[in-house]
């Protein structure tokens, strides 16, 4: 058994190593949380339709849960003197990739939403143009039907043009 000053030196060395590992792990965790927070802010600002999408919201929550679980693992490993910053970094790298994928997914969902809106606007614009064209054609048709009806009525009552001449009818039409 190691006694005396040597045991105290070993304890201090282990404690210093654990403190350095804890500081490194905390930095990794802080950077990861900051990356998620910045990504969520970017999604909210630049991809508003995607920000409210259930899939995006669920992914954000899942990633936050992974970060919280990593924080718990760090605390537990630190308490047990088994904290390994390399293992923490490996786990953080996987979570970081999920954050990158989240941003890509949000961008793709926003593009799909924008494309849908553009198609809907094009449909509405096309319908408005057709409505205008139909109204114009309807007016021409209404005028033609009215002219024919008037001509037919007058022709029925004045079939031999004894009251109205053809030129009178053309003037009325």
């Amino acid at each position: 058994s190691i006694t005396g000053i040597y045991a105290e030196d070993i304890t201090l060395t282990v404690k210093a190593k654990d403190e350095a590992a804890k500081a490194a792990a905390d930095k990794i965790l802080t950077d990861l949380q900051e990356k998620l927070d910045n990504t969520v802010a970017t999604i909210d600002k630049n991809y508003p339709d995607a920000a409210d999408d259930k899939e995006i919201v669920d992914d954000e929550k899942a990633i936050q849960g992974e970060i919280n679980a990593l924080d718990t693992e760090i605390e537990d490993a630190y308490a047990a003197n088994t904290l390994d910053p390399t293992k923490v970094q490996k786990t953080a790298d996987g979570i970081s990739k999920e954050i990158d994928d989240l941003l890509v997914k949000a961008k793709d969902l926003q593009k799909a939403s924008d494309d849908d809106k553009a198609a809907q606007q094009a449909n509405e614009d096309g319908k408005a143009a057709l409505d205008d064209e139909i109204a114009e054609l309807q007016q021409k048709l209404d005028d033609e039907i009215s002219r024919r009806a008037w001509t037919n009525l007058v022709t029925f009552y004045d079939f031999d043009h004894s009251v109205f001449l053809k030129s009178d009818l053309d003037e009325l039409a």
Side-chain angles (χ1 to χ4, degrees):
S1 120
I2 302 176
T3 59
I5 195 147
Y6 295 114
E8 193 172 299
D9 285 347
I10 291 172
T11 302
L12 290 175
T13 302
V14 169
K15 184 81 169 152
K17 181 181 171 201
D18 285 348
E19 289 298 323
K22 176 76 164 86
D26 285 346
K27 171 81 169 97
I28 292 168
L29 191 65
T30 300
D31 291 348
L32 192 59
Q33 184 65 56
E34 185 177 315
K35 181 175 182 175
L36 177 61
D37 293 344
N38 289 340
T39 298
V40 169
T42 298
I43 290 170
D44 289 344
K45 180 181 178 191
N46 298 338
Y47 311 117
D49 294 332
D52 296 330
D53 185 85
K54 182 180 179 346
E55 191 175 345
I56 295 294
V57 171
D58 289 348
D59 286 354
E60 288 172 1
K61 288 178 183 175
I63 293 169
Q64 185 62 61
E66 291 179 40
I67 292 172
N68 294 345
L70 181 58
D71 185 29
T72 300
E73 284 180 36
I74 290 169
E75 293 302 324
D76 291 348
Y78 177 68
N81 292 327
T82 60
L83 183 58
D84 180 1
T86 306
K87 182 180 174 193
V88 171
Q89 185 63 58
K90 186 180 275 189
T91 303
D93 289 345
I95 296 171
S96 181
K97 169 96 172 69
E98 290 178 33
I99 294 171
D100 293 340
D101 293 346
L102 176 68
L103 188 60
V104 169
K105 186 187 290 186
K107 185 177 182 181
D108 291 345
L109 285 171
Q110 185 65 45
K111 182 180 181 327
S113 177
D114 290 346
D115 290 348
D116 286 347
K117 286 179 183 177
Q120 184 177 3
Q121 186 62 49
N123 285 340
E124 289 173 9
D125 292 347
K127 183 183 180 310
L130 286 174
D131 286 347
D132 291 345
E133 188 175 336
I134 289 169
E136 183 181 327
L137 291 173
Q138 186 66 48
Q139 180 63 42
K140 289 178 184 177
L141 183 60
D142 289 348
D143 291 347
E144 178 61 23
I145 289 172
S146 181
R147 186 190 64 74
R148 283 186 185 173
W150 179 250
T151 301
N152 288 342
L153 179 67
V154 171
T155 302
F156 178 75
Y157 287 112
D158 186 25
F159 59 88
D160 63 353
H161 299 289
S162 57
V163 178
F164 294 106
L165 299 174
K166 177 155 178 25
S167 60
D168 294 331
L169 293 176
D170 291 339
E171 210 176 293
L172 290 172

